[in-house]
Amino acid sequence: MDSLTSSLRPAAALGRQLLLLGGLMSDWCRTRPNEYGQQQCRGCDEVCSLLRWGEVQRRKDSQFRGCSQSRFFHSNFRELDMCATLSGCDTCRIFRRAFLLAQTTGLGAQSLEDPDQQWPVYAALDVSDGGDLLLLSIEAPHETVFRAAVRLGSEQCHTPRDPTRAGGRLRADFEELGKVVRDCHENHDCSWKYRWSDQNPTWLLEILHQNQVRLVKGPKNPVDYVVLSYSWGDPTTMTAAEWARIKGAATKTTNGTPVDQRLHPFSTWSLPETMQDAITITESLGFRYIWIDSVCIPKGTNWDTEASRMHEVYGNAAFTLAASSCTKATDNLLHDRSAWRHRNKACKLRGKWLYNDSPSLNAVRLGSPVSQRGWTLQEERLSPRILYWAGQRWYWSCPERQVAELSELSYSNTKDSPTGWSLPQNFLEVCRTGDEQQLNDEWLDVVEAYTRRDLARAKDRFLAISGLAVRFYNAKVESNEQLGTEEYLAGLWKDELARHLAWSVHHAADPDNHLQQFAPSWSWASLPLKVHTNTKHKFKQSEHFRLIGTPGVAPLPDKRKDRGQVIEERGRTVKVLEVEGRLRRFISEDSRKACWDDIERQHGGRTTFNFSIYPGCPVYARNIEDGRLVSMEAHRGEIVGQLDYLPTNGSKEKRGVGVCLPVGAEKDVYCLELGDSAMLLLRRAPGTSDAYQRVGVCLGYTNRKGFFYGCETRKILLC
């Protein structure tokens, strides 16, 4: 029987599938023509019920806004796929495409067909001001595994042609993409406005014929080259052999020179799949050179120096290719785009047209594995032109145009910005205009985006944004003749130091993963990786706070050439700040300790405090779950601080001991005034009288404006 089955012809195999469709799935996949001449399955009947529900709600109230309960639509994605493919159900084809388009990565699209993730498919109707949506979901027993949406309209929208090359391979149409790239380079001002210099990278990968490449010195004259932005991946989730392949792509050196194997033509097949496909895309668009970090920064090269030149490498590139569809360097960037297996056509149910929206540019940017990697933040924000290669289509972003393959994007689809710019290019535009306030705001945005990302090596904490720091400094220095007063201080900037010191964490971090071996306690860079921070709040600096100096750091250089690079390298070495400001204890000596649960109240969706059980007494309390610390002096308003770290369990072997504030040491906390309603929470460094380490921050205490009245101004060291 097995041999007979295996010898079935393709037509017989299709017949077997149809028998299965007619048997096991007949209830939900049997179709019939509807009033619009389109195929409609039983699942579509459930969608029609949702549309009827929306009609009833609108008859009752023309201003109705709300969402229906979910209705079962299909048993799983495979059944949905078979209904779309074998039954030809037009609605299921729209729904199938919606699920696939919602997957940024190629792995996400593949996982829809994973036998272990075949869960029921549901649909709900969302009636809103922005237009009705069918919200789709695939629900596991205790979680939603996949989400997608289909838009509804009263008029038929333009149906673009499928963004694939003719034939069964479903590959990208490079001719269409080439037109977009050429239009930018030939007709947009951004082709010259944001170019940093006429310098090429030190090394480039030259693309030859027949899948051959070689490493060459960057030509003396400027050339058009593409830069690859990708994720190496998490080595803990790979086999040793796979991680060795990724690491093995690095160019080795002999006596400081790349090995001959790389200087002579070699096969692209020796490189990981993401790099191979990036080379194919680059060549298909007519470019001869590509820059890939591990290949074009040979081992033995001064990595610190090369890292601080990233503003030049990315700023001078023809465009940056962001490998949004890859979770690791051994993933293919090019693969079949199965969302377009069926012809793109109009579909209608109960008078409503159904159509697929392209996911927004921000959804693709922030939903890709590349966005979780620390190094790629500066790669994106230093790039004037970016090609995001997602699982089912590409996106182009430059300061003058955003395109989702065959579909123009409005600025509202990328970022609601008063300037109309999409987020990737905001940093470069502000650097170009040189507005000082906007520059400082942009740096704080960089910090928030950066601290939540991961790094393969924690010691790269400063290196991975060094290019951004150099670009920021140079934006403040208008010419080589003007040196300015700005200094880089371990991830912060001198001219607005008080504001930059007032960063906070959303939730106290795990002290065991701190990075104070690389950065001082007062810098956000000392936090563990992947911590969410807040840097943006109303801030007015205190007239009593000032920076005195940076003990132990080399004086500022007089040199003007490459000064930004020198300033950044010097800034990494700053460990201690000497400052002056008003200092006092955060909790009075006679305060009583309270249980957090006894004083916290939830009222009207906000948190309040009730100290009625401690009438006339100064009180303090600490929430050891999230790091909040509250102090209330008798007959005055309370003030709430946020500690940077959770307490350890007391084990002296843990790295976090000495970093966090131990339970019971709350009265040892001092506070240094930074602004009208901003203070640092400090603890005296062991064995010193005037040196303090940061343990947290307190912001927005409007009910205690006089907290520092009468306090003396002191000079202290922050370390």
Side-chain angles (χ1 to χ4, degrees):
M1 180 63 71
D2 290 342
S3 61
L4 178 62
T5 303
S6 63
S7 64
L8 289 173
R9 295 185 306 237
L14 177 60
R16 184 170 177 269
Q17 285 184 303
L18 289 169
L19 285 173
L20 178 62
L21 180 67
L24 296 178
M25 294 183 290
S26 59
D27 286 345
W28 291 97
C29 294
R30 186 179 294 126
T31 60
R32 67 182 187 282
N34 63 16
E35 63 269 34
Y36 308 109
Q38 296 173 332
Q39 294 300 312
Q40 180 173 320
C41 70
R42 182 180 168 187
C44 300
D45 296 340
E46 298 300 313
V47 177
C48 288
S49 297
L50 292 173
L51 300 181
R52 263 195 309 273
W53 173 86
E55 294 164 3
V56 170
Q57 304 309 313
R58 280 202 170 93
R59 281 199 296 269
K60 293 178 181 178
D61 177 7
S62 61
Q63 301 301 314
F64 173 79
R65 301 291 181 268
C67 188
S68 72
Q69 291 186 341
S70 295
R71 283 181 174 268
F72 178 87
F73 181 69
H74 268 298
S75 299
N76 50 56
F77 181 81
R78 282 186 166 183
E79 183 181 278
L80 173 68
D81 185 32
M82 292 188 73
C83 191
T85 303
L86 299 179
S87 297
C89 177
D90 294 303
T91 303
C92 287
R93 289 182 173 182
I94 293 282
F95 283 16
R96 174 187 176 277
R97 179 172 292 148
F99 276 117
L100 287 163
L101 288 178
Q103 308 309 309
T104 301
T105 66
L107 183 62
Q110 293 172 13
S111 62
L112 281 166
E113 298 184 354
D114 186 340
D116 295 328
Q117 299 204 54
Q118 295 306 304
W119 307 103
V121 184
Y122 292 87
L125 177 64
D126 180 29
V127 180
S128 64
D129 290 328
D132 294 356
L133 287 173
L134 284 170
L135 304 178
L136 312 178
S137 62
I138 296 178
E139 304 284 345
H142 302 293
E143 64 173 330
T144 301
V145 185
F146 300 99
R147 297 181 188 274
V150 169
R151 190 164 294 280
L152 300 172
S154 56
E155 297 182 1
Q156 182 177 356
C157 66
H158 170 68
T159 304
R161 65 183 178 87
D162 301 337
T164 54
R165 199 168 57 198
R169 295 294 296 168
L170 300 178
R171 291 298 176 93
D173 187 343
F174 286 108
E175 181 180 350
E176 186 68 33
L177 175 56
K179 292 177 183 177
V180 174
V181 176
R182 286 192 299 274
D183 174 63
C184 177
H185 282 264
E186 294 171 4
N187 301 316
H188 293 179
D189 288 345
C190 59
S191 62
W192 60 266
K193 272 184 180 180
Y194 304 98
R195 188 179 181 96
W196 179 253
S197 69
D198 61 356
Q199 294 296 306
N200 295 309
T202 306
W203 294 96
L204 285 168
L205 204 55
E206 183 182 16
I207 303 172
L208 307 173
H209 299 295
Q210 298 179 336
N211 296 315
Q212 296 280 306
V213 292
R214 67 179 174 185
L215 196 65
V216 297
K217 274 280 191 181
K220 292 183 179 180
N221 297 321
V223 296
D224 286 331
Y225 62 90
V226 174
V227 172
L228 175 63
S229 177
Y230 67 110
S231 173
W232 283 25
D234 182 357
T236 63
T237 64
M238 304 181 203
T239 64
E242 191 174 19
W243 181 243
R245 276 196 66 213
I246 295 171
K247 296 281 285 183
T251 297
K252 300 176 179 62
T253 57
T254 302
N255 298 324
T257 302
V259 294
D260 287 344
Q261 293 92 322
R262 287 292 168 88
L263 297 176
H264 294 96
F266 65 95
S267 173
T268 60
W269 296 339
S270 64
L271 299 173
E273 285 75 2
T274 301
M275 299 181 192
Q276 292 180 39
D277 287 348
I279 292 168
T280 298
I281 292 171
T282 301
E283 183 179 24
S284 298
L285 293 174
F287 292 93
R288 183 180 172 186
Y289 298 100
I290 186 170
W291 187 90
I292 301 173
D293 55 4
S294 66
V295 180
C296 297
I297 304 180
K299 288 184 175 181
T301 301
N302 187 324
W303 180 257
D304 290 17
T305 301
E306 288 295 323
S308 60
R309 290 189 61 225
M310 290 303 101
H311 64 290
E312 194 166 39
V313 172
Y314 286 88
N316 294 344
F319 66 85
T320 296
L321 172 59
S324 303
S325 70
C326 300
T327 59
K328 56 185 184 296
T330 51
D331 283 350
N332 281 109
L333 190 53
L334 289 170
H335 48 76
D336 289 351
R337 304 186 320 171
S338 57
W340 312 101
R341 184 175 297 155
H342 307 296
R343 185 168 58 90
N344 202 5
K345 60 176 288 191
C347 179
K348 194 174 186 181
L349 289 177
R350 288 191 66 82
K352 294 286 188 180
W353 293 96
L354 281 64
Y355 57 95
N356 297 116
D357 263 349
S358 296
S360 70
L361 178 57
N362 267 349
V364 172
R365 288 179 53 247
L366 302 178
S368 76
V370 173
S371 71
Q372 308 305 313
R373 180 173 170 249
W375 281 96
T376 59
L377 177 68
Q378 71 174 6
E379 294 170 7
E380 180 181 63
R381 299 206 183 187
L382 293 173
S383 300
R385 295 161 296 278
I386 309 169
L387 173 62
Y388 297 92
W389 200 274
Q392 303 297 315
R393 66 193 329 172
W394 52 257
Y395 290 70
W396 173 265
S397 176
C398 76
E400 297 183 37
R401 189 184 185 192
Q402 283 78 38
V403 183
E405 194 166 357
L406 297 179
S407 174
E408 295 288 331
L409 293 174
S410 63
Y411 286 112
S412 62
N413 200 24
T414 55
K415 185 191 180 211
D416 294 325
S417 167
T419 63
W421 292 79
S422 63
L423 182 60
Q425 287 82 26
N426 247 2
F427 182 81
L428 285 178
E429 173 62 9
V430 172
C431 285
R432 183 174 178 273
T433 57
D435 184 282
E436 189 168 359
Q437 186 57 54
Q438 288 186 352
L439 268 170
N440 283 305
D441 289 343
E442 277 299 311
W443 183 261
L444 295 176
D445 185 73
V446 164
V447 170
E448 282 193 14
Y450 184 59
T451 56
R452 69 186 63 180
R453 297 188 178 213
D454 199 6
L455 287 166
R457 302 187 306 175
K459 67 179 183 179
D460 290 341
R461 187 68 146 176
F462 289 125
L463 282 177
I465 58 164
S466 56
L468 286 168
V470 174
R471 188 71 181 87
F472 177 92
Y473 177 81
N474 285 318
K476 284 200 164 186
V477 179
E478 294 182 357
S479 68
N480 286 334
E481 287 71 37
Q482 177 217 7
L483 293 182
T485 61
E486 187 64 281
E487 292 183 47
Y488 188 51
L489 306 170
L492 287 62
W493 293 93
K494 174 188 171 183
D495 284 356
E496 289 217 5
L497 177 61
R499 183 185 181 196
H500 285 208
L501 283 169
W503 54 265
S504 63
V505 296
H506 285 206
H507 187 284
D510 180 357
D512 294 340
N513 299 318
H514 74 86
L515 300 180
Q516 288 191 16
Q517 66 271 41
F518 304 119
S521 67
W522 44 266
S523 170
W524 51 263
S526 65
L527 290 169
L529 300 173
K530 299 192 290 186
V531 170
H532 286 244
T533 57
N534 177 30
T535 62
K536 303 168 195 168
H537 45 78
K538 292 182 179 179
F539 188 87
K540 182 180 179 182
Q541 182 171 330
S542 166
E543 62 183 13
H544 301 281
F545 177 86
R546 71 183 181 97
L547 173 68
I548 299 173
T550 55
V553 180
L556 285 170
D558 291 330
K559 64 179 294 186
R560 284 162 169 77
K561 185 178 180 182
D562 298 327
R563 182 176 169 88
Q565 189 170 327
V566 175
I567 289 287
E568 186 278 326
E569 291 175 357
R570 174 185 181 272
R572 296 181 223 156
T573 69
V574 176
K575 302 296 183 185
V576 180
L577 300 177
E578 185 179 7
V579 300
E580 183 178 66
R582 295 198 288 188
L583 188 77
R584 60 159 288 179
R585 286 187 179 273
F586 184 65
I587 299 168
S588 61
E589 289 283 5
D590 59 345
S591 288
R592 295 174 56 183
K593 183 177 182 179
C595 177
W596 189 271
D597 292 340
D598 289 343
I599 62 171
E600 185 182 42
R601 301 286 185 273
Q602 297 297 325
H603 180 71
R606 62 189 181 92
T607 299
T608 61
F609 295 92
N610 187 325
F611 297 93
S612 60
I613 61 175
Y614 303 98
C617 296
V619 176
Y620 74 94
R622 178 178 181 177
N623 187 326
I624 62 172
E625 300 296 328
D626 61 18
R628 284 178 292 163
L629 180 66
V630 62
S631 174
M632 193 277 292
E633 296 180 1
H635 311 298
R636 296 182 181 180
E638 73 277 359
I639 187 165
V640 183
Q642 174 64 57
L643 299 175
D644 296 335
Y645 294 99
L646 297 168
T648 64
N649 64 6
S651 170
K652 296 299 182 182
E653 296 178 359
K654 287 196 171 244
R655 290 201 310 125
V657 173
V659 174
C660 65
L661 181 70
V663 174
E666 291 79 15
K667 289 187 179 181
D668 295 336
V669 174
Y670 287 81
C671 41
L672 174 69
E673 183 184 33
L674 297 174
D676 277 1
S677 59
M679 65 174 84
L680 277 185
L681 301 183
L682 307 170
R683 183 179 57 164
R684 187 175 281 131
T688 67
S689 60
D690 61 349
Y692 294 81
Q693 294 175 315
R694 171 180 164 136
V695 294
V697 71
C698 186
L699 304 169
Y701 44 94
T702 56
N703 58 349
R704 290 297 303 277
K705 287 289 187 179
F707 191 75
F708 286 95
Y709 287 172
C711 295
E712 66 174 349
T713 300
R714 289 180 50 186
K715 294 180 181 179
I716 65 170
L717 300 176
L718 297 179
C719 56

